[in-house]
Amino acid sequence: MRTKRHYGNIMYDRRVVRGNTYAKHIIPTTAQPDPAEIRRQQANRRRAIARKQAREQFRPNTPEALEGRKHTDVQTELYLEELSNIIATTDIECQTDPFLDRPATPLFIPAKSGKDVETQIEEGELFDFDVEVQPVLEVLVGKTIEQSLLEVMEEEELACLKAQQRAFEELRNNELAEVQRLQEMERRHNEEKERRIAQQREVLRKEKEIAEKIAARAYTQQYLAGLLPAVFTSLRSHGYFYNPVEKDIETNFFPWLMDEVNNRVERRCTAREILDSKRHCYFILFVDDNPFF
Amino acid sequence: MAGALTDPTRAPVAFGRRAVPQLFGELQRAGAAARLRALTSLCDLVHEPERLYQAVTGGFLKQLKVLFRDEDPSVRAKTCELLHLLTSHSIGRQAVLASSLLPPLCQLLDDSSFSCRRNVHRVLNRLALLPAGAEALLSLVPKLMLKLTKEEDEEVQLLLLSTLTHCSRLDALPGLASDGVSLLGRKLSHRSSNIRREAAAAMMALSVPMDGKRQVCEDAEVLPVLIGLLRDKDVEVQANAAGVIMSTVIITTGKQRCLDLDVLPVLLGLLSEKHGDDDKEEMKKRRKALIMYVLRALTSLAEAPNGRRLLLEQLPLVEKKAEAAEEDQDIRRATQTAIQVITWTP
């Protein structure tokens, strides 16, 4: 069984404790109220009713009517109105016929006003293909031609560029050939020059060599011309050419002779000295013998 | 828009700014057939510069790398075609170079599908027009030379030759190192005049450094073929052949060989040739190149003693050319230089 939830203002919920805590209102733990509690609540209720009745008694009412008069209610408005608690009502029912279709609304044909005019559309007046197609065609053809013109111009430009490139290439080749030819020419001329210079140098060198050779030859000849007598003279002066007899006499005879002479002279000297020392003049026999003195 | 739905080979295109990102997103998500459709639509859109800019700056190029390895050859071919359209603009070219798409692209050179290879060659050709692109492609030159020997289709050969020409103009050494001279010499006698023209142009680019000139002289067949090409019907072929000869006769060996092969009468003949429709601007321009190259070749030949002797006899002809009032400033200058060299005495 579900308990009914009471949604109340939490500010006025009796379970929320408010106020001072030293005089708490303690809710009894048991849910059942005591019989004493019930009696007290009933008494309270009776007392509240009694009080309300008493209050009503003291409310002032209209005084009672006088004699011969009666109080009645009267309407004082302009238009009298029947007052009653029962409202006059009527019940009206309506029911459509179940099988009856709604009839068609009649055509509203307004009354004729104005003039009657006719017109007839001939063939080809609403839509003329040739006229209509013109703008479309123009666009189509125009775009196609524009595109093709662009392409043709591009091709022409490319062809021009190519032609220019080709002309440039040819010029370049030409100039390249010319440059190379001139280079070759330079090279050949240089080589030729080098060769000629080398040749000249060679010639000069040879000439110099020949001159030197000639000079050397002349000098040698001159030298050699005086060489032979000089050689002989020098040899002769060195004593390489000798008369053998003379040589023999010189080598053998003369030393002996000289020795002999020396001896003799020595002897003579000694003799002379002896003589001198003795102071005697003695004729030396040798002196007479010797043919030299 | 309705056209996109009705055309079964193309994916529907979103409006305005969303078109390109949405298609790229679809590329990532979709299956093989849908990818092809999205690629076709993209190819159509990218013709317009705005869309191209959007495609390039939106960072979508990385997705293309994945598509290169797709199994379906038509998808690969379409991807290459898309790249080809992207490289028609300078920003596209720069973006392709910057985004390291080149190595996987080069792997596709050996692809089995012909249209894929052709589109790759188209892309490389466009890239080579830019100097930075030519630099990047220099490392590919040996491989391209190899391809030249193997491929038979004319268009692919043309593309290869023009790519090689542009790369060699920047730096001819890789081309020379991979034996370019003899390869191109063989191509010079091809039946198609386009191929002859391109081969001669490539040869001209290769003969700019000294090494190239020497190789052209050493190769016994090249010079006679070139002199034969001087009598070709197509003016451009003649012009390019004259250009090669012009570079070759700069070195002494070249002079000797050309004089031995009796090239002077041919050159002088070219100089005094008069076409019936000489008044047309275009013809004049083309002939101008030819005449200038011929004049330079004559100038170089005149430095050799026997060449000078022969040319002194022909001096009146050259002088007449100089006095012709209708000629260009450059031609007149070139003629005067030629006359100076011819009449120079040591």
Side-chain angles (χ1 to χ4, degrees), chain B residues 209-240:
Chain B
M210 281 299 175
D211 204 19
K213 292 196 237 274
R214 250 179 281 134
Q215 277 190 21
V216 171
C217 292
E218 282 160 20
D219 198 331
E221 307 147 356
V222 171
L223 275 173
V225 177
L226 280 171
I227 298 179
L229 278 181
L230 282 175
R231 299 195 197 89
D232 198 280
K233 289 189 284 293
D234 188 6
V235 177
E236 307 229 355
V237 179
Q238 284 175 327
N240 287 339

PDB file of all heavy atoms in Angstrom, chain B residues 209-240:
ATOM      1  N   PRO B 209      81.796  18.815 -77.758  1.00  0.00           N
ATOM      2  CA  PRO B 209      83.097  18.730 -77.088  1.00  0.00           C
ATOM      3  C   PRO B 209      84.143  18.102 -78.010  1.00  0.00           C
ATOM      4  O   PRO B 209      83.819  17.432 -78.985  1.00  0.00           O
ATOM      5  CB  PRO B 209      82.820  17.832 -75.883  1.00  0.00           C
ATOM      6  CG  PRO B 209      81.634  17.076 -76.224  1.00  0.00           C
ATOM      7  CD  PRO B 209      80.845  17.849 -77.216  1.00  0.00           C
ATOM      8  N   MET B 210      85.394  18.296 -77.647  1.00  0.00           N
ATOM      9  CA  MET B 210      86.514  17.858 -78.490  1.00  0.00           C
ATOM     10  C   MET B 210      86.483  16.364 -78.737  1.00  0.00           C
ATOM     11  O   MET B 210      86.733  15.877 -79.837  1.00  0.00           O
ATOM     12  CB  MET B 210      87.819  18.200 -77.794  1.00  0.00           C
ATOM     13  CG  MET B 210      88.188  19.625 -77.932  1.00  0.00           C
ATOM     14  SD  MET B 210      88.390  19.970 -79.661  1.00  0.00           S
ATOM     15  CE  MET B 210      88.649  21.675 -79.590  1.00  0.00           C
ATOM     16  N   ASP B 211      86.164  15.656 -77.672  1.00  0.00           N
ATOM     17  CA  ASP B 211      86.133  14.205 -77.747  1.00  0.00           C
ATOM     18  C   ASP B 211      85.150  13.732 -78.817  1.00  0.00           C
ATOM     19  O   ASP B 211      85.426  12.819 -79.588  1.00  0.00           O
ATOM     20  CB  ASP B 211      85.723  13.667 -76.376  1.00  0.00           C
ATOM     21  CG  ASP B 211      86.203  12.258 -76.178  1.00  0.00           C
ATOM     22  OD1 ASP B 211      87.126  11.886 -76.932  1.00  0.00           O
ATOM     23  OD2 ASP B 211      85.661  11.572 -75.328  1.00  0.00           O
ATOM     24  N   GLY B 212      84.009  14.419 -78.830  1.00  0.00           N
ATOM     25  CA  GLY B 212      82.993  14.042 -79.804  1.00  0.00           C
ATOM     26  C   GLY B 212      83.474  14.265 -81.220  1.00  0.00           C
ATOM     27  O   GLY B 212      83.269  13.438 -82.110  1.00  0.00           O
ATOM     28  N   LYS B 213      84.136  15.402 -81.407  1.00  0.00           N
ATOM     29  CA  LYS B 213      84.619  15.695 -82.757  1.00  0.00           C
ATOM     30  C   LYS B 213      85.590  14.627 -83.222  1.00  0.00           C
ATOM     31  O   LYS B 213      85.538  14.144 -84.357  1.00  0.00           O
ATOM     32  CB  LYS B 213      85.313  17.062 -82.764  1.00  0.00           C
ATOM     33  CG  LYS B 213      84.354  18.194 -82.526  1.00  0.00           C
ATOM     34  CD  LYS B 213      85.007  19.486 -82.918  1.00  0.00           C
ATOM     35  CE  LYS B 213      85.019  20.432 -81.748  1.00  0.00           C
ATOM     36  NZ  LYS B 213      83.780  21.181 -81.659  1.00  0.00           N
ATOM     37  N   ARG B 214      86.443  14.236 -82.261  1.00  0.00           N
ATOM     38  CA  ARG B 214      87.430  13.217 -82.638  1.00  0.00           C
ATOM     39  C   ARG B 214      86.756  11.914 -82.992  1.00  0.00           C
ATOM     40  O   ARG B 214      87.127  11.250 -83.962  1.00  0.00           O
ATOM     41  CB  ARG B 214      88.405  13.014 -81.484  1.00  0.00           C
ATOM     42  CG  ARG B 214      89.776  13.541 -81.802  1.00  0.00           C
ATOM     43  CD  ARG B 214      90.719  13.371 -80.663  1.00  0.00           C
ATOM     44  NE  ARG B 214      90.505  14.395 -79.659  1.00  0.00           N
ATOM     45  CZ  ARG B 214      90.435  14.148 -78.363  1.00  0.00           C
ATOM     46  NH1 ARG B 214      90.568  12.928 -77.908  1.00  0.00           N
ATOM     47  NH2 ARG B 214      90.231  15.113 -77.503  1.00  0.00           N
ATOM     48  N   GLN B 215      85.737  11.584 -82.181  1.00  0.00           N
ATOM     49  CA  GLN B 215      85.048  10.316 -82.442  1.00  0.00           C
ATOM     50  C   GLN B 215      84.359  10.346 -83.788  1.00  0.00           C
ATOM     51  O   GLN B 215      84.364   9.361 -84.524  1.00  0.00           O
ATOM     52  CB  GLN B 215      84.011  10.053 -81.360  1.00  0.00           C
ATOM     53  CG  GLN B 215      84.624   9.428 -80.139  1.00  0.00           C
ATOM     54  CD  GLN B 215      83.557   8.941 -79.179  1.00  0.00           C
ATOM     55  OE1 GLN B 215      82.420   8.719 -79.570  1.00  0.00           O
ATOM     56  NE2 GLN B 215      83.933   8.783 -77.948  1.00  0.00           N
ATOM     57  N   VAL B 216      83.757  11.491 -84.121  1.00  0.00           N
ATOM     58  CA  VAL B 216      83.074  11.575 -85.420  1.00  0.00           C
ATOM     59  C   VAL B 216      84.076  11.406 -86.548  1.00  0.00           C
ATOM     60  O   VAL B 216      83.789  10.777 -87.569  1.00  0.00           O
ATOM     61  CB  VAL B 216      82.338  12.918 -85.542  1.00  0.00           C
ATOM     62  CG1 VAL B 216      81.819  13.116 -86.932  1.00  0.00           C
ATOM     63  CG2 VAL B 216      81.188  12.971 -84.567  1.00  0.00           C
ATOM     64  N   CYS B 217      85.267  11.958 -86.350  1.00  0.00           N
ATOM     65  CA  CYS B 217      86.256  11.787 -87.407  1.00  0.00           C
ATOM     66  C   CYS B 217      86.721  10.347 -87.491  1.00  0.00           C
ATOM     67  O   CYS B 217      86.925   9.809 -88.572  1.00  0.00           O
ATOM     68  CB  CYS B 217      87.463  12.665 -87.128  1.00  0.00           C
ATOM     69  SG  CYS B 217      87.090  14.376 -87.278  1.00  0.00           S
ATOM     70  N   GLU B 218      86.906   9.736 -86.299  1.00  0.00           N
ATOM     71  CA  GLU B 218      87.474   8.394 -86.317  1.00  0.00           C
ATOM     72  C   GLU B 218      86.521   7.382 -86.906  1.00  0.00           C
ATOM     73  O   GLU B 218      86.940   6.442 -87.575  1.00  0.00           O
ATOM     74  CB  GLU B 218      87.827   7.964 -84.902  1.00  0.00           C
ATOM     75  CG  GLU B 218      89.103   8.577 -84.393  1.00  0.00           C
ATOM     76  CD  GLU B 218      89.147   8.515 -82.886  1.00  0.00           C
ATOM     77  OE1 GLU B 218      88.415   7.693 -82.313  1.00  0.00           O
ATOM     78  OE2 GLU B 218      89.889   9.308 -82.297  1.00  0.00           O
ATOM     79  N   ASP B 219      85.247   7.577 -86.648  1.00  0.00           N
ATOM     80  CA  ASP B 219      84.280   6.612 -87.146  1.00  0.00           C
ATOM     81  C   ASP B 219      84.191   6.728 -88.664  1.00  0.00           C
ATOM     82  O   ASP B 219      83.821   7.753 -89.198  1.00  0.00           O
ATOM     83  CB  ASP B 219      82.917   6.928 -86.513  1.00  0.00           C
ATOM     84  CG  ASP B 219      81.988   5.742 -86.623  1.00  0.00           C
ATOM     85  OD1 ASP B 219      82.149   4.978 -87.582  1.00  0.00           O
ATOM     86  OD2 ASP B 219      81.139   5.604 -85.755  1.00  0.00           O
ATOM     87  N   ALA B 220      84.535   5.655 -89.340  1.00  0.00           N
ATOM     88  CA  ALA B 220      84.767   5.787 -90.774  1.00  0.00           C
ATOM     89  C   ALA B 220      83.505   5.998 -91.569  1.00  0.00           C
ATOM     90  O   ALA B 220      83.538   6.513 -92.678  1.00  0.00           O
ATOM     91  CB  ALA B 220      85.490   4.540 -91.285  1.00  0.00           C
ATOM     92  N   GLU B 221      82.362   5.593 -91.009  1.00  0.00           N
ATOM     93  CA  GLU B 221      81.169   5.661 -91.867  1.00  0.00           C
ATOM     94  C   GLU B 221      80.401   6.948 -91.692  1.00  0.00           C
ATOM     95  O   GLU B 221      79.591   7.298 -92.536  1.00  0.00           O
ATOM     96  CB  GLU B 221      80.230   4.512 -91.527  1.00  0.00           C
ATOM     97  CG  GLU B 221      80.891   3.177 -91.572  1.00  0.00           C
ATOM     98  CD  GLU B 221      80.266   2.276 -90.518  1.00  0.00           C
ATOM     99  OE1 GLU B 221      79.407   2.784 -89.768  1.00  0.00           O
ATOM    100  OE2 GLU B 221      80.650   1.115 -90.445  1.00  0.00           O
ATOM    101  N   VAL B 222      80.614   7.607 -90.559  1.00  0.00           N
ATOM    102  CA  VAL B 222      79.704   8.694 -90.228  1.00  0.00           C
ATOM    103  C   VAL B 222      79.828   9.855 -91.201  1.00  0.00           C
ATOM    104  O   VAL B 222      78.822  10.367 -91.703  1.00  0.00           O
ATOM    105  CB  VAL B 222      79.976   9.183 -88.789  1.00  0.00           C
ATOM    106  CG1 VAL B 222      79.206  10.425 -88.504  1.00  0.00           C
ATOM    107  CG2 VAL B 222      79.605   8.096 -87.819  1.00  0.00           C
ATOM    108  N   LEU B 223      81.056  10.254 -91.487  1.00  0.00           N
ATOM    109  CA  LEU B 223      81.216  11.450 -92.314  1.00  0.00           C
ATOM    110  C   LEU B 223      80.643  11.300 -93.720  1.00  0.00           C
ATOM    111  O   LEU B 223      79.946  12.197 -94.188  1.00  0.00           O
ATOM    112  CB  LEU B 223      82.691  11.847 -92.371  1.00  0.00           C
ATOM    113  CG  LEU B 223      83.111  12.725 -91.181  1.00  0.00           C
ATOM    114  CD1 LEU B 223      84.599  12.945 -91.207  1.00  0.00           C
ATOM    115  CD2 LEU B 223      82.396  14.054 -91.241  1.00  0.00           C
ATOM    116  N   PRO B 224      80.892  10.184 -94.402  1.00  0.00           N
ATOM    117  CA  PRO B 224      80.285  10.064 -95.743  1.00  0.00           C
ATOM    118  C   PRO B 224      78.771  10.129 -95.696  1.00  0.00           C
ATOM    119  O   PRO B 224      78.133  10.772 -96.524  1.00  0.00           O
ATOM    120  CB  PRO B 224      80.768   8.699 -96.236  1.00  0.00           C
ATOM    121  CG  PRO B 224      81.967   8.397 -95.436  1.00  0.00           C
ATOM    122  CD  PRO B 224      81.770   9.057 -94.131  1.00  0.00           C
ATOM    123  N   VAL B 225      78.189   9.470 -94.657  1.00  0.00           N
ATOM    124  CA  VAL B 225      76.725   9.497 -94.538  1.00  0.00           C
ATOM    125  C   VAL B 225      76.249  10.929 -94.340  1.00  0.00           C
ATOM    126  O   VAL B 225      75.257  11.370 -94.937  1.00  0.00           O
ATOM    127  CB  VAL B 225      76.271   8.617 -93.352  1.00  0.00           C
ATOM    128  CG1 VAL B 225      74.784   8.697 -93.176  1.00  0.00           C
ATOM    129  CG2 VAL B 225      76.710   7.200 -93.573  1.00  0.00           C
ATOM    130  N   LEU B 226      76.981  11.693 -93.513  1.00  0.00           N
ATOM    131  CA  LEU B 226      76.580  13.067 -93.268  1.00  0.00           C
ATOM    132  C   LEU B 226      76.631  13.873 -94.540  1.00  0.00           C
ATOM    133  O   LEU B 226      75.743  14.683 -94.823  1.00  0.00           O
ATOM    134  CB  LEU B 226      77.515  13.688 -92.231  1.00  0.00           C
ATOM    135  CG  LEU B 226      77.200  13.323 -90.786  1.00  0.00           C
ATOM    136  CD1 LEU B 226      78.314  13.800 -89.892  1.00  0.00           C
ATOM    137  CD2 LEU B 226      75.907  13.950 -90.367  1.00  0.00           C
ATOM    138  N   ILE B 227      77.698  13.643 -95.321  1.00  0.00           N
ATOM    139  CA  ILE B 227      77.809  14.415 -96.562  1.00  0.00           C
ATOM    140  C   ILE B 227      76.699  14.004 -97.516  1.00  0.00           C
ATOM    141  O   ILE B 227      76.170  14.841 -98.255  1.00  0.00           O
ATOM    142  CB  ILE B 227      79.209  14.218 -97.152  1.00  0.00           C
ATOM    143  CG1 ILE B 227      80.211  14.760 -96.122  1.00  0.00           C
ATOM    144  CG2 ILE B 227      79.359  14.935 -98.461  1.00  0.00           C
ATOM    145  CD1 ILE B 227      81.610  14.628 -96.528  1.00  0.00           C
ATOM    146  N   GLY B 228      76.329  12.716 -97.449  1.00  0.00           N
ATOM    147  CA  GLY B 228      75.182  12.301 -98.243  1.00  0.00           C
ATOM    148  C   GLY B 228      73.920  12.999 -97.785  1.00  0.00           C
ATOM    149  O   GLY B 228      73.073  13.405 -98.583  1.00  0.00           O
ATOM    150  N   LEU B 229      73.784  13.163 -96.459  1.00  0.00           N
ATOM    151  CA  LEU B 229      72.587  13.808 -95.929  1.00  0.00           C
ATOM    152  C   LEU B 229      72.475  15.252 -96.355  1.00  0.00           C
ATOM    153  O   LEU B 229      71.391  15.832 -96.322  1.00  0.00           O
ATOM    154  CB  LEU B 229      72.593  13.750 -94.409  1.00  0.00           C
ATOM    155  CG  LEU B 229      72.121  12.459 -93.767  1.00  0.00           C
ATOM    156  CD1 LEU B 229      72.166  12.599 -92.265  1.00  0.00           C
ATOM    157  CD2 LEU B 229      70.713  12.138 -94.186  1.00  0.00           C
ATOM    158  N   LEU B 230      73.612  15.841 -96.735  1.00  0.00           N
ATOM    159  CA  LEU B 230      73.552  17.239 -97.167  1.00  0.00           C
ATOM    160  C   LEU B 230      72.720  17.389 -98.425  1.00  0.00           C
ATOM    161  O   LEU B 230      72.254  18.469 -98.736  1.00  0.00           O
ATOM    162  CB  LEU B 230      74.961  17.770 -97.426  1.00  0.00           C
ATOM    163  CG  LEU B 230      75.762  18.142 -96.185  1.00  0.00           C
ATOM    164  CD1 LEU B 230      77.166  18.520 -96.597  1.00  0.00           C
ATOM    165  CD2 LEU B 230      75.119  19.299 -95.482  1.00  0.00           C
ATOM    166  N   ARG B 231      72.572  16.283 -99.124  1.00  0.00           N
ATOM    167  CA  ARG B 231      71.784  16.379-100.357  1.00  0.00           C
ATOM    168  C   ARG B 231      70.365  15.914-100.141  1.00  0.00           C
ATOM    169  O   ARG B 231      69.629  15.692-101.080  1.00  0.00           O
ATOM    170  CB  ARG B 231      72.438  15.504-101.436  1.00  0.00           C
ATOM    171  CG  ARG B 231      73.843  15.945-101.769  1.00  0.00           C
ATOM    172  CD  ARG B 231      74.298  15.309-103.071  1.00  0.00           C
ATOM    173  NE  ARG B 231      75.738  15.398-103.184  1.00  0.00           N
ATOM    174  CZ  ARG B 231      76.571  14.489-102.722  1.00  0.00           C
ATOM    175  NH1 ARG B 231      76.119  13.395-102.149  1.00  0.00           N
ATOM    176  NH2 ARG B 231      77.887  14.657-102.841  1.00  0.00           N
ATOM    177  N   ASP B 232      69.971  15.751 -98.872  1.00  0.00           N
ATOM    178  CA  ASP B 232      68.647  15.253 -98.552  1.00  0.00           C
ATOM    179  C   ASP B 232      67.574  16.242 -98.972  1.00  0.00           C
ATOM    180  O   ASP B 232      67.836  17.412 -99.183  1.00  0.00           O
ATOM    181  CB  ASP B 232      68.599  15.024 -97.028  1.00  0.00           C
ATOM    182  CG  ASP B 232      67.466  14.122 -96.645  1.00  0.00           C
ATOM    183  OD1 ASP B 232      66.336  14.619 -96.565  1.00  0.00           O
ATOM    184  OD2 ASP B 232      67.716  12.930 -96.448  1.00  0.00           O
ATOM    185  N   LYS B 233      66.337  15.764 -99.046  1.00  0.00           N
ATOM    186  CA  LYS B 233      65.258  16.644 -99.503  1.00  0.00           C
ATOM    187  C   LYS B 233      64.792  17.573 -98.403  1.00  0.00           C
ATOM    188  O   LYS B 233      64.403  18.703 -98.643  1.00  0.00           O
ATOM    189  CB  LYS B 233      64.078  15.790 -99.970  1.00  0.00           C
ATOM    190  CG  LYS B 233      64.352  15.064-101.261  1.00  0.00           C
ATOM    191  CD  LYS B 233      63.086  14.424-101.766  1.00  0.00           C
ATOM    192  CE  LYS B 233      62.740  13.170-100.983  1.00  0.00           C
ATOM    193  NZ  LYS B 233      63.701  12.079-101.177  1.00  0.00           N
ATOM    194  N   ASP B 234      64.822  17.056 -97.159  1.00  0.00           N
ATOM    195  CA  ASP B 234      64.267  17.833 -96.063  1.00  0.00           C
ATOM    196  C   ASP B 234      65.286  18.872 -95.613  1.00  0.00           C
ATOM    197  O   ASP B 234      66.449  18.552 -95.364  1.00  0.00           O
ATOM    198  CB  ASP B 234      63.926  16.877 -94.909  1.00  0.00           C
ATOM    199  CG  ASP B 234      63.172  17.587 -93.807  1.00  0.00           C
ATOM    200  OD1 ASP B 234      62.820  18.772 -94.000  1.00  0.00           O
ATOM    201  OD2 ASP B 234      62.929  16.952 -92.779  1.00  0.00           O
ATOM    202  N   VAL B 235      64.818  20.133 -95.503  1.00  0.00           N
ATOM    203  CA  VAL B 235      65.755  21.217 -95.174  1.00  0.00           C
ATOM    204  C   VAL B 235      66.354  21.026 -93.790  1.00  0.00           C
ATOM    205  O   VAL B 235      67.529  21.287 -93.551  1.00  0.00           O
ATOM    206  CB  VAL B 235      65.025  22.572 -95.237  1.00  0.00           C
ATOM    207  CG1 VAL B 235      65.939  23.686 -94.834  1.00  0.00           C
ATOM    208  CG2 VAL B 235      64.507  22.790 -96.627  1.00  0.00           C
ATOM    209  N   GLU B 236      65.526  20.543 -92.869  1.00  0.00           N
ATOM    210  CA  GLU B 236      66.026  20.424 -91.498  1.00  0.00           C
ATOM    211  C   GLU B 236      67.131  19.387 -91.413  1.00  0.00           C
ATOM    212  O   GLU B 236      68.106  19.560 -90.685  1.00  0.00           O
ATOM    213  CB  GLU B 236      64.877  20.034 -90.585  1.00  0.00           C
ATOM    214  CG  GLU B 236      63.706  20.957 -90.708  1.00  0.00           C
ATOM    215  CD  GLU B 236      63.239  21.413 -89.353  1.00  0.00           C
ATOM    216  OE1 GLU B 236      63.783  20.934 -88.357  1.00  0.00           O
ATOM    217  OE2 GLU B 236      62.361  22.271 -89.320  1.00  0.00           O
ATOM    218  N   VAL B 237      66.927  18.269 -92.154  1.00  0.00           N
ATOM    219  CA  VAL B 237      67.966  17.239 -92.154  1.00  0.00           C
ATOM    220  C   VAL B 237      69.267  17.833 -92.670  1.00  0.00           C
ATOM    221  O   VAL B 237      70.344  17.632 -92.097  1.00  0.00           O
ATOM    222  CB  VAL B 237      67.541  16.035 -93.009  1.00  0.00           C
ATOM    223  CG1 VAL B 237      68.630  14.998 -93.031  1.00  0.00           C
ATOM    224  CG2 VAL B 237      66.264  15.454 -92.484  1.00  0.00           C
ATOM    225  N   GLN B 238      69.129  18.596 -93.768  1.00  0.00           N
ATOM    226  CA  GLN B 238      70.320  19.224 -94.328  1.00  0.00           C
ATOM    227  C   GLN B 238      70.974  20.147 -93.314  1.00  0.00           C
ATOM    228  O   GLN B 238      72.202  20.143 -93.133  1.00  0.00           O
ATOM    229  CB  GLN B 238      69.945  20.051 -95.562  1.00  0.00           C
ATOM    230  CG  GLN B 238      69.686  19.230 -96.787  1.00  0.00           C
ATOM    231  CD  GLN B 238      69.201  20.103 -97.917  1.00  0.00           C
ATOM    232  OE1 GLN B 238      68.501  21.097 -97.698  1.00  0.00           O
ATOM    233  NE2 GLN B 238      69.553  19.741 -99.121  1.00  0.00           N
ATOM    234  N   ALA B 239      70.124  20.932 -92.651  1.00  0.00           N
ATOM    235  CA  ALA B 239      70.660  21.891 -91.688  1.00  0.00           C
ATOM    236  C   ALA B 239      71.412  21.182 -90.576  1.00  0.00           C
ATOM    237  O   ALA B 239      72.521  21.569 -90.198  1.00  0.00           O
ATOM    238  CB  ALA B 239      69.525  22.735 -91.115  1.00  0.00           C
ATOM    239  N   ASN B 240      70.806  20.132 -90.030  1.00  0.00           N
ATOM    240  CA  ASN B 240      71.468  19.444 -88.928  1.00  0.00           C
ATOM    241  C   ASN B 240      72.760  18.785 -89.370  1.00  0.00           C
ATOM    242  O   ASN B 240      73.764  18.809 -88.654  1.00  0.00           O
ATOM    243  CB  ASN B 240      70.525  18.404 -88.321  1.00  0.00           C
ATOM    244  CG  ASN B 240      69.431  19.077 -87.521  1.00  0.00           C
ATOM    245  OD1 ASN B 240      69.593  20.209 -87.109  1.00  0.00           O
ATOM    246  ND2 ASN B 240      68.324  18.395 -87.324  1.00  0.00           N
TER     247      ASN B 240
END
